[in-house]
Amino acid sequence: GEDVEQSLFLSVREGDSSVINCTYTDSSSTYLYWYKQEPGAGLQLLTYIFSNMDMKQDQRLTVLLNKKDKHLSLRIADTQTGDSAIYFCAEIPDTGRRALTFGSGTRLQVQP
Amino acid sequence: GAVVSQHPSWVICKSGTSVKIECRSLDFQATTMFWYRQFPKQSLMLMATSNEGSKATYEQGVEKDKFLINHASLTLSTLTVTSAHPEDSSFYICSAGQGAIGYTFGSGTRLTVV
């Protein structure tokens, strides 16, 4: 199947690090993505990682990929209140269909 | 960067009427666009793949006669919700991409049918 799973909720204090986890199913996915959605808005691409990489860092964001376990994580350093949003991991499964398959989304709440 | 404009941002309509939502790629050409539906506190579910110059490909369970998709140019796809009913109330989002490096999403349309 094409299930992408995430934990539903994460609460952290401002200044702490946040780690959002994702488990995907299609090991043939070439790219894996992290998107951010603020209330009532569309999705913003935060970062992506190529499947032959283990890690990618982009300013406060660090993506870790464990292909053996099909596990993807997003670490946000020095989390700010403006980071409060829903975070979706996504893949493009090798089904011939080019659309993204999204995880259930993790709601990140940052407390001052 | 790639920009996708979606209009309107929100619409309220009466049961039985039809509503058209537009999705435009502003600075690139998109032979393929995607339409998603999102229920409150849920993930995005793909409804259909819009193909320029040909018929859309609908996902299983999505009524093609109810959700009409037209992709008449390389920069515009429209989704028309025909004979809308309250259960069609939802957040609809389109996306388009220039390759494997992610897709750009519109800002979404919140449809409320009363």
Side-chain angles (χ1 to χ4, degrees):
Chain A
E2 298 173 14
D3 282 338
V4 180
E5 297 183 353
Q6 298 177 236
S7 51
L8 293 180
F9 184 75
L10 175 66
S11 179
V12 300
R13 290 195 178 276
E14 191 173 20
D16 289 349
S17 293
S18 306
V19 179
I20 302 171
N21 295 302
C22 171
T23 303
Y24 62 97
T25 56
D26 194 328
S27 59
S28 63
S29 295
T30 304
Y31 291 95
L32 293 149
Y33 309 88
W34 282 104
Y35 282 85
K36 176 184 180 181
Q37 184 180 33
E38 298 189 17
L43 274 70
Q44 172 194 354
L45 177 64
L46 283 179
T47 188
Y48 62 91
I49 188 167
F50 190 50
S51 59
N52 69 352
M53 299 170 64
D54 297 323
M55 185 181 85
K56 179 180 179 181
Q57 187 157 359
D58 183 1
Q59 298 183 344
R60 292 192 296 124
L61 305 178
T62 303
V63 179
L64 295 179
L65 175 60
N66 181 329
K67 285 195 71 176
K68 174 176 172 289
D69 295 336
K70 296 180 188 174
H71 184 264
L72 182 73
S73 69
L74 173 70
R75 179 177 180 270
I76 305 173
D78 188 25
T79 314
Q80 303 297 307
T81 54
D83 295 324
S84 294
I86 301 176
Y87 292 80
F88 292 95
C89 62
E91 63 171 347
I92 301 177
D94 187 20
T95 59
R97 187 182 81 185
R98 288 178 288 142
L100 290 161
T101 295
F102 288 91
S104 51
T106 299
R107 182 177 296 273
L108 174 64
Q109 181 181 67
V110 182
Q111 298 177 341
Chain B
V3 177
V4 173
S5 173
Q6 187 173 340
H7 178 82
S9 347
W10 60 270
V11 58
I12 302 173
C13 71
K14 291 185 177 181
S15 284
T17 60
S18 295
V19 173
K20 181 185 284 188
I21 302 169
E22 293 187 346
C23 182
R24 293 181 187 273
S25 57
L26 295 187
D27 48 2
F28 66 100
Q29 295 181 332
T31 55
T32 302
M33 292 185 178
F34 303 97
W35 287 97
Y36 293 85
R37 183 174 182 175
Q38 186 180 31
F39 290 103
K41 298 185 178 179
Q42 293 190 25
S43 188
L44 282 77
M45 300 300 297
L46 180 68
M47 298 175 66
T49 302
S50 172
N51 305 299
E52 188 269 335
S54 65
K55 292 182 180 180
T57 305
Y58 289 81
E59 294 300 300
Q60 190 173 5
V62 177
E63 298 176 59
K64 57 183 69 177
D65 293 332
K66 178 159 192 66
F67 299 100
L68 297 179
I69 290 173
N70 185 290
H71 195 151
S73 78
L74 286 169
T75 58
L76 174 64
S77 174
T78 60
L79 168 68
T80 301
V81 183
T82 62
S83 186
H85 290 282
E87 57 266 30
D88 299 323
S89 298
S90 191
F91 194 58
Y92 294 88
I93 310 177
C94 68
S95 76
Q98 294 178 289
I101 314 300
Y103 290 89
T104 301
F105 284 78
S107 54
T109 298
R110 181 161 302 286
L111 170 63
T112 302
V113 184
V114 297

